Amino acid sequence: LAQTADKVQQHAVFAANGESMRARLEHLQGDRIRLASMRSSPLSDQASRDFEDLARRFPGFEFDPQTGVSKIREDILFNSGSDEIRAEAERLLTEFARILNNGESSQLNVLVVGHTDDTRVAKAATRTKHPDNWYLSAHRAITVTHALTKSGVKPNRMGVAGYGPHQPRVPSKSDAARKQNLRVELFVLAPGASLPGWDPTSP
């Protein structure tokens, strides 16, 4: 009887472990699906074609049709150490905003992310406004959102982030590599997409 009781108890433990494992697998599967949906582009085919055309016409602007993520080299947007948008970059941002405001895309949100290279802010005049690269990357992202707002993108559709030099595209082993790491990224997000600290349902 004791052996039978032990076997029953073992069976119950195995069954419980199996249910726990099944639940964990289902949770992981759900995470995989959610991550996949975050990586897929929320843009319509027409909006993707418009952004691809923008990339052809503006060197320094990149667009990934698979994810809907755009990247703009910071030397296209800004002079060194500055967060003031260059005059020649204003047309690019104006056209980006036009696409974002057209048709179904007008329901989408955008996260603007600034990145610098690992060269520290050296000039005293620059440090008074941007004490380090954290400030510079965030200030540049904020300036881009202001430009997009000026072109008609509602402020409540946008968020900003600054990563400084800490999310490089390539190792900063040369000036050419550092140039690649200087960029502003624009993540176009579906209306229900959730990010830390951002409630997409907020009016």
Side-chain angles (χ1 to χ4, degrees), residues 88-152:
E88 54 266 38
E90 290 181 0
R91 183 179 163 214
L92 167 59
L93 292 177
T94 297
E95 294 205 30
F96 186 95
R98 177 186 59 78
I99 298 169
L100 207 59
N101 282 331
N102 188 41
E104 295 178 3
S105 296
S106 64
Q107 304 302 311
L108 302 175
N109 299 317
V110 60
L111 178 66
V112 183
V113 182
H115 299 267
T116 67
D117 61 19
D118 62 352
T119 304
R120 72 180 186 89
V121 178
K123 293 181 180 179
T126 304
R127 286 202 307 271
T128 60
K129 189 174 183 180
H130 317 293
D132 58 31
N133 280 317
W134 285 106
Y135 284 91
L136 182 57
S137 64
H139 289 168
R140 285 176 166 174
I142 291 168
T143 300
V144 169
T145 64
H146 287 169
L148 294 175
T149 300
K150 184 179 177 182
S151 294

Side-chain angles (χ1 to χ4, degrees), residues 18-200:
E19 286 299 321
S20 175
M21 182 64 71
R22 186 177 297 108
R24 291 166 66 184
L25 287 171
E26 289 175 355
H27 179 73
L28 290 172
Q29 176 72 359
D31 284 347
R32 186 188 66 79
I33 293 171
R34 284 189 290 273
L35 288 171
S37 67
M38 288 179 66
R39 286 193 292 265
S40 61
S41 173
L43 292 165
S44 67
D45 291 342
Q46 182 59 56
S48 291
R49 287 193 293 270
D50 289 343
F51 279 127
E52 288 174 334
D53 178 64
L54 204 61
R56 284 190 291 269
R57 291 188 291 115
F58 287 90
F61 175 82
E62 302 174 25
F63 173 70
D64 184 347
Q66 300 299 317
T67 62
V69 177
S70 299
K71 295 182 178 70
I72 309 174
R73 288 206 323 261
E74 286 203 353
D75 61 332
I76 302 298
L77 292 171
F78 308 104
N79 292 321
S80 177
S82 172
D83 67 342
E84 295 183 13
I85 292 175
R86 301 171 63 181
E88 54 266 38
E90 290 181 0
R91 183 179 163 214
L92 167 59
L93 292 177
T94 297
E95 294 205 30
F96 186 95
R98 177 186 59 78
I99 298 169
L100 207 59
N101 282 331
N102 188 41
E104 295 178 3
S105 296
S106 64
Q107 304 302 311
L108 302 175
N109 299 317
V110 60
L111 178 66
V112 183
V113 182
H115 299 267
T116 67
D117 61 19
D118 62 352
T119 304
R120 72 180 186 89
V121 178
K123 293 181 180 179
T126 304
R127 286 202 307 271
T128 60
K129 189 174 183 180
H130 317 293
D132 58 31
N133 280 317
W134 285 106
Y135 284 91
L136 182 57
S137 64
H139 289 168
R140 285 176 166 174
I142 291 168
T143 300
V144 169
T145 64
H146 287 169
L148 294 175
T149 300
K150 184 179 177 182
S151 294
V153 181
K154 293 180 180 179
N156 66 336
R157 295 174 61 194
M158 294 186 286
V160 299
Y163 282 105
H166 304 295
Q167 296 289 332
R169 298 180 73 178
V170 296
S172 298
K173 295 181 178 180
S174 66
D175 289 341
R178 290 185 177 90
K179 189 174 181 179
Q180 290 187 58
N181 294 330
L182 285 164
R183 66 202 189 276
V184 171
E185 296 176 334
L186 300 105
F187 293 82
V188 179
L189 305 167
S194 178
L195 290 172
W198 185 355
D199 179 5

